[in-house]
Amino acid sequence: MSSDKVLLDYGSGGRASQRLISELFVKYFANPELERLNDAAALKLNGTISMSTDSFTVDPIFFPGGDIGSLAVHGTVNDVAMLGAIPRYLTCAYIIEEGLPMDDLERIVKSMGEACKEAGVNIVTGDTKVVPKGMVDKIFINTTGVGEIIADPAPSGDRAAVGDAVLVSGTIGDHGLTILGTREGLSLESNVQSDSAALNHLLVKLVQEIPDVHVLRDPTRGGLATTLNEITVSSNVCCELEESNIPIKAEVAGGCSFLGLDPLYLANEGKFLCILPQEYAEQALEIMRADELGRDACQVGTITDANPGKVILVTPLGGRRLLNMLEGEQLPRIC
Amino acid sequence: MSSDKVLLDYGSGGRASQRLISELFVKYFANPELERLNDAAALKLNGTISMSTDSFTVDPIFFPGGDIGSLAVHGTVNDVAMLGAIPRYLTCAYIIEEGLPMDDLERIVKSMGEACKEAGVNIVTGDTKVVPKGMVDKIFINTTGVGEIIADPAPSGDRAAVGDAVLVSGTIGDHGLTILGTREGLSLESNVQSDSAALNHLLVKLVQEIPDVHVLRDPTRGGLATTLNEITVSSNVCCELEESNIPIKAEVAGGCSFLGLDPLYLANEGKFLCILPQEYAEQALEIMRADELGRDACQVGTITDANPGKVILVTPLGGRRLLNMLEGEQLPRIC
């Protein structure tokens, strides 16, 4: 592009918008449907469709382990996949602040293109708005995804059943602590970074090999505790969590204790909860552990009928503590 | 909700977010899939799917003839329909500035619910982010839509052919002038208001009754002139427009002349271009004029091979003027 900053007319719908599309988006997102440049994409999809949307406003836009672009792909790909679906297509809508360095935009677009390749999805249509300086902070991105549901019955938040095992695919709190740490200018231990990742390939393996996965859910905003509360309410069951089984990196635990944060409420962007009949738990853990993204998977609890709609944390000494849904905003702009 | 302003924790993913969803979104968008409250929606759709996305940043958020909510529904419904499709489902993602009056949010959500009902679509999943004061201007909304393509072959921007008629469904420039006028605090003539409307029912009638519609496109950002330029480039044909046939309300022409704007470059949100074989032009115009939203439809030009990739305006005196794509940003935040 002729300017090293994003100018207002890049979002005009006119000639400058066309250049931005052809020189940047088509370059990194190359696929035949996008290149038709219609206002809508024509897509072939089979069976029941999983559809999900998320707007990403994360601050900072670049952080250890990712950026707003890769996060925007991972977040939506994961949500689509949580219904037991193969994600296929994404839309991408940018809202950009006038004056954003073109280098930053290109870095983000490139990162999205790479994340799409890894996840096996195509960005097929999009939208770009540029708003005057001060009307938005740098860049916000919406992605919306569609995929084909292959699990039957499909996992759903209201299907957790008494006796089910509660598995988590890995360590908790990495993304949330990384974002807050970066924002506060803390120099975190070198191995604390966002876990942002596309989980779809692992999830597809799970629903293909396990006869009936009851719930799949990624504990993003509000963290493990809030997500489990949503599920126990939807399913009208109780979740009893063994505190000592919850995987947390020592550095994350240390950082949380320093900053006064509870890792159980911190966002994750590359982890999922899997709730399924106890008889399939071992098989599911094997599948998860065979994948780099599920290496630290373990069973953290069970579904019971003790207190329907509640999550109970069982401490190492046998104490029982009610784990509420997040109250108040622990971390704005975490994703 | 307990507060009369949107608070940061309404976007936390925690308890306050849940309340916002159940008390506001589920109230106005009521449908079974949304009420499952999974992170993704499971949808039944037949055949080839049309998918489109748009983020809306219009300023002001309330304007004569609509608001950011109705506009967000109309804009995406129309884009989905332009492929000859019946729009079925929308996603809706809000980015809200901390402190937005709850009354404004409710008014917008209510307006979206009404617009969906009229268009016959359901909002099936969504996302809400609240960002700290000053990080976004009031509220931005993304909607992404999917629908079922019923036209075969489907209309597409690259299918305009020499000899085709170029029809427009009504008067040009109403939305753009209304937004700019409102923003500038001008008191416009009482009958100048945004044309924002869902065109899908009319478009479906057209593609069902006309054997082959080559192109459908709504002239939003960049206006009639820019949209026609996109089409002539994609199809490698020339469009010759009869200036005297282009329908423009006298008040809009007057307002444009007062503000130094060219109505051919102003955004429309309830109009479409229809390019099809000349033999079907009369039938198409009859269908359009029988619908309130196509009352002022007329033929404005023809597709020729005179200057491939160009739009030529033929003036009442027979002069021929090249009509370029929009250069620069005439109006930021028009939609």
Side-chain angles (χ1 to χ4, degrees), chain A residues 11-12 15 38-39 41 43-44 48-49 51-52 54-55 127-129 135 137 144 156-157 221 326-327 329, chain B residues 11 15 38-39 41 43-44 48-49 51-52 54-55 127-129 135 137 144 156-157 221 326-327 329:
Chain A
S12 64
R15 200 177 294 279
N38 277 315
D39 288 342
L43 309 174
K44 299 277 184 199
T48 306
I49 288 157
M51 184 174 193
S52 188
D54 256 321
S55 286
D127 176 49
T128 307
K129 297 288 192 311
M135 298 294 117
D137 186 31
T144 303
S156 177
R221 274 184 296 176
L326 177 65
E327 290 277 5
E329 172 73 44
Chain B
R15 199 178 295 279
N38 277 315
D39 288 341
L43 309 173
K44 298 276 184 200
T48 306
I49 288 157
M51 183 174 194
S52 188
D54 256 321
S55 286
D127 176 49
T128 307
K129 298 288 190 312
M135 298 294 117
D137 186 31
T144 303
S156 177
R221 275 184 296 176
L326 177 64
E327 290 277 4
E329 173 73 44

Side-chain angles (χ1 to χ4, degrees), chain A residues 52-57 76 91 93 95 140-144 221, chain B residues 25 29 34 53-57 68 72 76 90-96 105 108-109 112 123-130 139-145:
Chain A
S52 188
T53 191
D54 256 321
S55 286
F56 295 83
T57 63
T76 293
T91 61
I95 302 172
F140 293 169
I141 303 178
N142 177 281
T143 52
T144 303
R221 274 184 296 176
Chain B
F25 303 144
F29 301 159
L34 180 67
T53 190
D54 256 321
S55 286
F56 295 84
T57 64
I68 191 170
T76 293
L90 295 187
T91 62
C92 173
Y94 298 99
I95 302 173
I96 306 173
L105 181 60
I108 290 165
V109 172
M112 293 187 81
I123 292 175
V124 287
T125 187
D127 176 49
T128 307
K129 298 288 190 312
V130 182
I139 182 169
F140 292 168
I141 303 177
N142 177 280
T143 52
T144 303

